[in-house]
PDB file of all heavy atoms in Angstrom:
ATOM      1  N   PRO A  21     -30.321  25.656  41.828  1.00  0.00           N
ATOM      2  CA  PRO A  21     -30.554  26.239  40.502  1.00  0.00           C
ATOM      3  C   PRO A  21     -31.324  27.538  40.636  1.00  0.00           C
ATOM      4  O   PRO A  21     -32.028  27.736  41.626  1.00  0.00           O
ATOM      5  CB  PRO A  21     -31.398  25.181  39.788  1.00  0.00           C
ATOM      6  CG  PRO A  21     -32.019  24.383  40.877  1.00  0.00           C
ATOM      7  CD  PRO A  21     -31.067  24.411  42.018  1.00  0.00           C
ATOM      8  N   TRP A  57     -50.707  52.395  76.687  1.00  0.00           N
ATOM      9  CA  TRP A  57     -49.726  52.817  75.694  1.00  0.00           C
ATOM     10  C   TRP A  57     -48.578  51.831  75.569  1.00  0.00           C
ATOM     11  O   TRP A  57     -47.949  51.714  74.517  1.00  0.00           O
ATOM     12  CB  TRP A  57     -49.172  54.199  76.055  1.00  0.00           C
ATOM     13  CG  TRP A  57     -50.172  55.241  75.706  1.00  0.00           C
ATOM     14  CD1 TRP A  57     -50.946  55.949  76.569  1.00  0.00           C
ATOM     15  CD2 TRP A  57     -50.520  55.641  74.401  1.00  0.00           C
ATOM     16  NE1 TRP A  57     -51.773  56.782  75.911  1.00  0.00           N
ATOM     17  CE2 TRP A  57     -51.544  56.616  74.545  1.00  0.00           C
ATOM     18  CE3 TRP A  57     -50.103  55.284  73.118  1.00  0.00           C
ATOM     19  CZ2 TRP A  57     -52.130  57.224  73.463  1.00  0.00           C
ATOM     20  CZ3 TRP A  57     -50.697  55.915  72.058  1.00  0.00           C
ATOM     21  CH2 TRP A  57     -51.696  56.871  72.216  1.00  0.00           C
ATOM     22  N   LEU A  67     -43.013  45.404  65.044  1.00  0.00           N
ATOM     23  CA  LEU A  67     -42.987  45.765  63.621  1.00  0.00           C
ATOM     24  C   LEU A  67     -41.573  46.132  63.174  1.00  0.00           C
ATOM     25  O   LEU A  67     -41.074  45.643  62.153  1.00  0.00           O
ATOM     26  CB  LEU A  67     -43.908  46.963  63.366  1.00  0.00           C
ATOM     27  CG  LEU A  67     -45.359  46.634  63.059  1.00  0.00           C
ATOM     28  CD1 LEU A  67     -46.146  47.918  62.902  1.00  0.00           C
ATOM     29  CD2 LEU A  67     -45.431  45.815  61.785  1.00  0.00           C
ATOM     30  N   THR A 114     -32.463  26.987  19.028  1.00  0.00           N
ATOM     31  CA  THR A 114     -33.732  27.702  18.940  1.00  0.00           C
ATOM     32  C   THR A 114     -34.329  27.866  20.331  1.00  0.00           C
ATOM     33  O   THR A 114     -33.976  27.136  21.245  1.00  0.00           O
ATOM     34  CB  THR A 114     -34.763  26.947  18.084  1.00  0.00           C
ATOM     35  OG1 THR A 114     -35.296  25.876  18.872  1.00  0.00           O
ATOM     36  CG2 THR A 114     -34.149  26.393  16.835  1.00  0.00           C
ATOM     37  N   ARG A 182     -32.720  18.067  19.208  1.00  0.00           N
ATOM     38  CA  ARG A 182     -32.756  17.545  20.566  1.00  0.00           C
ATOM     39  C   ARG A 182     -33.058  18.684  21.529  1.00  0.00           C
ATOM     40  O   ARG A 182     -32.548  19.784  21.384  1.00  0.00           O
ATOM     41  CB  ARG A 182     -31.388  16.939  20.880  1.00  0.00           C
ATOM     42  CG  ARG A 182     -31.415  15.932  21.985  1.00  0.00           C
ATOM     43  CD  ARG A 182     -30.065  15.288  22.113  1.00  0.00           C
ATOM     44  NE  ARG A 182     -30.057  13.921  21.655  1.00  0.00           N
ATOM     45  CZ  ARG A 182     -28.928  13.232  21.466  1.00  0.00           C
ATOM     46  NH1 ARG A 182     -27.760  13.809  21.634  1.00  0.00           N
ATOM     47  NH2 ARG A 182     -28.981  11.985  21.084  1.00  0.00           N
ATOM     48  N   GLU A 206     -24.079  16.492   6.904  1.00  0.00           N
ATOM     49  CA  GLU A 206     -24.329  16.461   5.458  1.00  0.00           C
ATOM     50  C   GLU A 206     -24.052  15.070   4.896  1.00  0.00           C
ATOM     51  O   GLU A 206     -23.043  14.441   5.208  1.00  0.00           O
ATOM     52  CB  GLU A 206     -23.474  17.499   4.753  1.00  0.00           C
ATOM     53  CG  GLU A 206     -23.806  17.580   3.281  1.00  0.00           C
ATOM     54  CD  GLU A 206     -23.455  18.912   2.656  1.00  0.00           C
ATOM     55  OE1 GLU A 206     -22.826  19.736   3.328  1.00  0.00           O
ATOM     56  OE2 GLU A 206     -23.828  19.104   1.482  1.00  0.00           O
ATOM     57  N   ALA A 209     -22.563  13.779  -0.322  1.00  0.00           N
ATOM     58  CA  ALA A 209     -21.534  13.095  -1.104  1.00  0.00           C
ATOM     59  C   ALA A 209     -21.941  11.664  -1.428  1.00  0.00           C
ATOM     60  O   ALA A 209     -21.869  11.231  -2.580  1.00  0.00           O
ATOM     61  CB  ALA A 209     -20.211  13.121  -0.344  1.00  0.00           C
ATOM     62  N   ASP A 219     -26.479   8.197 -13.671  1.00  0.00           N
ATOM     63  CA  ASP A 219     -26.443   9.161 -14.762  1.00  0.00           C
ATOM     64  C   ASP A 219     -25.394   8.816 -15.791  1.00  0.00           C
ATOM     65  O   ASP A 219     -25.635   8.878 -16.985  1.00  0.00           O
ATOM     66  CB  ASP A 219     -26.084  10.547 -14.218  1.00  0.00           C
ATOM     67  CG  ASP A 219     -27.310  11.278 -13.782  1.00  0.00           C
ATOM     68  OD1 ASP A 219     -28.338  10.594 -13.638  1.00  0.00           O
ATOM     69  OD2 ASP A 219     -27.231  12.496 -13.581  1.00  0.00           O
ATOM     70  N   ALA A 224     -23.727   7.950 -20.983  1.00  0.00           N
ATOM     71  CA  ALA A 224     -22.615   7.436 -21.757  1.00  0.00           C
ATOM     72  C   ALA A 224     -23.113   6.413 -22.764  1.00  0.00           C
ATOM     73  O   ALA A 224     -22.766   6.473 -23.940  1.00  0.00           O
ATOM     74  CB  ALA A 224     -21.581   6.825 -20.827  1.00  0.00           C
ATOM     75  N   LEU A 257     -10.504   5.247 -42.683  1.00  0.00           N
ATOM     76  CA  LEU A 257      -9.688   5.316 -41.462  1.00  0.00           C
ATOM     77  C   LEU A 257      -9.724   6.723 -40.885  1.00  0.00           C
ATOM     78  O   LEU A 257      -9.758   6.912 -39.669  1.00  0.00           O
ATOM     79  CB  LEU A 257      -8.253   4.878 -41.750  1.00  0.00           C
ATOM     80  CG  LEU A 257      -8.070   3.365 -41.819  1.00  0.00           C
ATOM     81  CD1 LEU A 257      -6.645   3.016 -42.228  1.00  0.00           C
ATOM     82  CD2 LEU A 257      -8.397   2.706 -40.483  1.00  0.00           C
ATOM     83  N   MET A 282     -20.093  16.182  -8.485  1.00  0.00           N
ATOM     84  CA  MET A 282     -19.789  15.551  -7.203  1.00  0.00           C
ATOM     85  C   MET A 282     -19.507  16.588  -6.121  1.00  0.00           C
ATOM     86  O   MET A 282     -19.847  16.412  -4.966  1.00  0.00           O
ATOM     87  CB  MET A 282     -18.543  14.669  -7.326  1.00  0.00           C
ATOM     88  CG  MET A 282     -18.774  13.299  -7.851  1.00  0.00           C
ATOM     89  SD  MET A 282     -19.732  12.338  -6.710  1.00  0.00           S
ATOM     90  CE  MET A 282     -18.545  12.145  -5.394  1.00  0.00           C
ATOM     91  N   GLU A 291      -8.720  32.214  -3.367  1.00  0.00           N
ATOM     92  CA  GLU A 291      -8.815  33.572  -3.890  1.00  0.00           C
ATOM     93  C   GLU A 291      -8.280  33.589  -5.322  1.00  0.00           C
ATOM     94  O   GLU A 291      -7.121  33.255  -5.554  1.00  0.00           O
ATOM     95  CB  GLU A 291      -7.949  34.478  -3.014  1.00  0.00           C
ATOM     96  CG  GLU A 291      -8.552  35.815  -2.735  1.00  0.00           C
ATOM     97  CD  GLU A 291      -7.700  36.586  -1.743  1.00  0.00           C
ATOM     98  OE1 GLU A 291      -6.628  37.048  -2.140  1.00  0.00           O
ATOM     99  OE2 GLU A 291      -8.120  36.690  -0.568  1.00  0.00           O
ATOM    100  N   LEU A 298      -8.260  35.532 -17.003  1.00  0.00           N
ATOM    101  CA  LEU A 298      -8.730  35.806 -18.360  1.00  0.00           C
ATOM    102  C   LEU A 298      -7.548  35.996 -19.309  1.00  0.00           C
ATOM    103  O   LEU A 298      -7.554  35.496 -20.437  1.00  0.00           O
ATOM    104  CB  LEU A 298      -9.620  37.048 -18.368  1.00  0.00           C
ATOM    105  CG  LEU A 298     -11.060  36.805 -17.911  1.00  0.00           C
ATOM    106  CD1 LEU A 298     -11.786  38.121 -17.701  1.00  0.00           C
ATOM    107  CD2 LEU A 298     -11.812  35.959 -18.923  1.00  0.00           C
ATOM    108  N   ALA A 313      -8.780  33.325 -38.007  1.00  0.00           N
ATOM    109  CA  ALA A 313      -8.847  34.752 -38.350  1.00  0.00           C
ATOM    110  C   ALA A 313      -9.859  35.501 -37.498  1.00  0.00           C
ATOM    111  O   ALA A 313     -10.691  36.250 -37.998  1.00  0.00           O
ATOM    112  CB  ALA A 313      -9.164  34.935 -39.845  1.00  0.00           C
ATOM    113  N   VAL A 362     -20.378  44.696 -10.969  1.00  0.00           N
ATOM    114  CA  VAL A 362     -21.803  45.042 -11.017  1.00  0.00           C
ATOM    115  C   VAL A 362     -22.418  44.823  -9.644  1.00  0.00           C
ATOM    116  O   VAL A 362     -21.818  44.185  -8.779  1.00  0.00           O
ATOM    117  CB  VAL A 362     -22.567  44.167 -12.043  1.00  0.00           C
ATOM    118  CG1 VAL A 362     -22.197  44.512 -13.443  1.00  0.00           C
ATOM    119  CG2 VAL A 362     -22.349  42.692 -11.764  1.00  0.00           C
ATOM    120  N   ILE A 367     -27.172  38.297  -5.987  1.00  0.00           N
ATOM    121  CA  ILE A 367     -25.821  37.915  -5.564  1.00  0.00           C
ATOM    122  C   ILE A 367     -25.182  38.988  -4.697  1.00  0.00           C
ATOM    123  O   ILE A 367     -24.373  38.700  -3.832  1.00  0.00           O
ATOM    124  CB  ILE A 367     -24.942  37.624  -6.798  1.00  0.00           C
ATOM    125  CG1 ILE A 367     -25.582  36.532  -7.656  1.00  0.00           C
ATOM    126  CG2 ILE A 367     -23.538  37.225  -6.401  1.00  0.00           C
ATOM    127  CD1 ILE A 367     -24.843  36.245  -8.935  1.00  0.00           C
ATOM    128  N   GLY A 368     -25.549  40.251  -4.919  1.00  0.00           N
ATOM    129  CA  GLY A 368     -24.896  41.356  -4.208  1.00  0.00           C
ATOM    130  C   GLY A 368     -23.750  41.887  -5.053  1.00  0.00           C
ATOM    131  O   GLY A 368     -23.832  41.841  -6.283  1.00  0.00           O
ATOM    132  N   PRO A 388     -32.908  28.906 -23.920  1.00  0.00           N
ATOM    133  CA  PRO A 388     -33.024  28.396 -22.546  1.00  0.00           C
ATOM    134  C   PRO A 388     -32.537  26.967 -22.390  1.00  0.00           C
ATOM    135  O   PRO A 388     -32.398  26.484 -21.274  1.00  0.00           O
ATOM    136  CB  PRO A 388     -34.525  28.503 -22.266  1.00  0.00           C
ATOM    137  CG  PRO A 388     -35.178  28.536 -23.581  1.00  0.00           C
ATOM    138  CD  PRO A 388     -34.208  29.096 -24.548  1.00  0.00           C
ATOM    139  N   GLY A 427     -25.664  33.923 -17.939  1.00  0.00           N
ATOM    140  CA  GLY A 427     -26.703  34.534 -18.749  1.00  0.00           C
ATOM    141  C   GLY A 427     -26.341  34.417 -20.227  1.00  0.00           C
ATOM    142  O   GLY A 427     -25.182  34.579 -20.597  1.00  0.00           O
TER     143      GLY A 427
END
Side-chain angles (χ1 to χ4, degrees):
Chain A
W57 283 107
L67 272 177
T114 77
R182 202 174 252 168
E206 185 156 7
D219 272 15
L257 281 175
M282 276 293 291
E291 220 174 73
L298 280 169
V362 290
I367 303 176

